[in-house]
Amino acid sequence: MGFLKRRALGGSRVPRVQLTFSAPVLLTLCLLSGALLFSAKFSHEAMSLLPLSYYRWDRLTANHLRLLSWPLAHTGFPHFFHNYKMILLLGAPVEGHFGSRIMAWLCFLTSVVCALFHWCMTTNKALMGASGILYMLIGLHTVSGAGGVEIVGKGVKVPVTFVLVCVMFLAEEVWLVGTRDDQVSHLTHVVGGVVGVVWGYRWNNKKKRA
């Protein structure tokens, strides 16, 4: 009966599934990082990613490319998966909201600012991984329209849930900066989050004035 009913209704078509290359900037970062890590691990040259990382013991003038390359290097697949599953989850709506050009600029800005803070504040640790960009997205998602913020007249409506998420993430990282030495750059997390919050706040002010 079910088959006859479908025939009578003209048949049921299986909907076509079409993959789209959304969030091209963040997807490109993910693919580049994954390809570099895969090639390093399976060529048995895990240390080959170290030249991409940013570290203090070189002269600043020798680190121009590393100001931008350190988010592409990861210590292993758990490090890579932890960063990029969150980046793609949060970043797709954020890049869709702001556009790829602004997202590329924010990734550039976050990389440079985090590297400079790392150069000033640390002495013997290499900086690698895209967690600075992840925390920038958390901060930006929280205070921007992508995170549910609405501009109403001359005011701004901010969801409490997003404020709590931002406060908890950043408060935890500020606490860990001075209390734990676990080979994680919590300073980079804080700086990345601040970059996202400040830029999102300025974006909201521009929209209010417009």
Side-chain angles (χ1 to χ4, degrees):
M1 287 293 294
F3 174 75
L4 293 176
K5 187 174 182 180
R6 284 196 297 270
R7 288 291 299 272
L9 293 174
S12 59
R13 294 183 177 180
V14 177
R16 292 196 312 172
V17 177
Q18 184 178 2
L19 297 177
T20 59
F21 198 70
S22 60
V25 171
L26 297 177
L27 270 177
T28 300
L29 284 176
C30 179
L31 294 175
L32 281 175
S33 296
L36 288 169
L37 180 60
F38 187 88
S39 63
K41 289 295 184 181
F42 288 93
S43 64
H44 303 290
E45 296 180 6
M47 295 299 292
S48 63
L49 293 180
L50 188 60
L52 296 176
S53 63
Y54 192 84
Y55 41 87
R56 175 69 172 83
W57 55 87
D58 258 0
R59 293 179 304 167
L60 182 62
T61 53
N63 274 307
H64 291 127
L65 292 179
R66 295 193 187 104
L67 287 170
L68 301 177
S69 65
W70 64 267
L72 299 176
H74 288 78
T75 57
F77 287 108
H79 188 201
F80 169 82
F81 288 136
H82 172 76
N83 281 338
Y84 276 103
K85 69 184 179 184
M86 294 299 296
I87 284 175
L88 295 179
L89 179 65
L90 285 174
V94 173
E95 185 170 341
H97 181 78
F98 289 103
S100 296
R101 181 178 298 180
I102 290 178
M103 181 54 60
W105 159 247
L106 285 172
C107 290
F108 170 87
L109 179 64
T110 303
S111 298
V112 172
V113 172
C114 287
L116 292 177
F117 266 89
H118 182 80
W119 189 85
C120 293
M121 302 294 291
T122 63
T123 57
N124 60 352
K125 292 181 180 179
L127 180 62
M128 60 189 341
S131 56
I133 292 175
L134 167 59
Y135 276 80
M136 177 272 290
L137 290 170
I138 291 173
L140 183 61
H141 192 274
T142 301
V143 300
S144 70
V149 174
E150 297 181 24
I151 297 176
V152 181
K154 295 183 178 181
V156 179
K157 294 173 64 177
V158 183
V160 174
T161 52
F162 288 105
V163 173
L164 287 176
V165 168
C166 186
V167 168
M168 284 189 286
F169 265 103
L170 292 180
E172 179 187 23
E173 295 304 321
V174 169
W175 171 259
L176 291 174
V177 165
T179 60
R180 183 184 297 178
D181 185 11
D182 53 5
Q183 305 303 312
V184 175
S185 179
H186 298 288
L187 175 65
T188 301
H189 298 173
V190 173
V191 173
V194 170
V195 169
V197 168
V198 170
W199 201 92
Y201 180 77
R202 292 188 61 189
W203 173 269
N204 283 335
N205 280 343
K206 286 183 180 180
K207 290 182 68 176
K208 284 170 61 177
R209 287 195 295 268

